[in-house]
Amino acid sequence: MNLDYIVREPENISPITPILFMLHGYGSNEQDLFSFRESLPADWIIVSFRAPKATQFEGYSWFDIDFNNPEQFIDIDQAKEVLESLLANIMAITNKYGLTRNKTHLCGFSQGGILCYSLALKYPELFNYVACLSAYPEEKLLTDIVKDKKKLENLRFFVSHGSDDAIIPMEWGKKAADLLYDLSCYFTFREYMSGHGVNQKNYIDLMEFFSK
């Protein structure tokens, strides 16, 4: 499945040009996280994907969610299918730009963050900086993750969550700290006085993370 996306290209592109892939949340679209581009490094390629499933109000989703059933919160089969599509699209875009010795980063909000955990921990050799915003690591998508510390050592995670998040509870988000600690991954976990979103302090800290 070829995913729609928008892109910001730097003036010069070489085999070492960094690229950042952005995955929006449920009911949003590719323009959402793409608004961060003005604060991101000017020499990066920025790619923001649109999820394949249409929702209300001209939004999109990566997979269905059942808000009334915490045990079956996400449609696992749909999520696994879209993970395969994302990996294929990421590889195709990387090859299109001739990126062979570059760093590849991920940034996902909510649904997009859930997918970022899975992509990074299943294929750690492909990624570097990974930002998971208002999300959580879904155990049912992490059954075959890499646990070799040597293969995980290049990953850097930025995890943020709002203390008043009514969509994905804070305790779900905190599962990331336990998981990443157990895997000996480098990570920063930040809690903010906000709901299901990114407030100004969260944004500033995120941009600082990507600027390192």
Side-chain angles (χ1 to χ4, degrees), residues 63-66 72-80 141:
F63 45 79
D64 292 335
I65 288 180
D66 186 347
Q72 300 291 331
F73 184 62
I74 76 174
D75 188 308
I76 297 296
D77 290 337
Q78 290 179 6
K80 287 181 176 178
L141 292 178

Side-chain angles (χ1 to χ4, degrees), residues 125-195:
E125 70 280 6
L126 298 180
F127 302 107
N128 297 98
Y129 293 168
V130 183
C132 299
L133 318 173
S134 302
Y136 74 99
E138 173 52 64
E139 293 175 9
K140 295 172 185 173
L141 292 178
L142 299 173
T143 53
D144 55 350
I145 60 173
V146 172
K147 296 184 179 179
D148 183 336
K149 292 178 184 177
K150 192 72 178 168
K151 293 181 178 178
L152 294 166
E153 67 182 8
N154 289 324
L155 290 176
R156 300 288 186 275
F157 284 89
F158 176 87
V159 180
S160 68
H161 216 95
S163 56
D164 300 317
D165 193 326
I167 305 297
I168 296 178
M170 169 63 80
E171 57 264 32
W172 290 21
K174 284 183 175 177
K175 291 178 183 178
D178 295 332
L179 172 67
L180 297 174
Y181 179 82
D182 288 344
L183 292 171
S184 299
C185 286
Y186 294 94
F187 73 94
T188 298
F189 184 93
R190 298 280 175 85
E191 179 180 339
Y192 299 92
M193 294 289 290
S194 66

Side-chain angles (χ1 to χ4, degrees), residues 101-122:
R101 294 180 289 115
N102 70 314
K103 291 186 175 182
T104 300
H105 311 306
L106 296 170
C107 179
F109 177 80
S110 195
Q111 268 200 343
I114 293 171
L115 294 170
C116 285
Y117 281 122
S118 298
L119 284 168
L121 294 174
K122 283 173 180 281

Side-chain angles (χ1 to χ4, degrees), residues 79-91:
K80 287 181 176 178
E81 186 178 340
V82 85
L83 276 170
E84 291 182 12
S85 292
L86 278 166
L87 181 64
N89 279 265
I90 286 170
M91 298 304 292

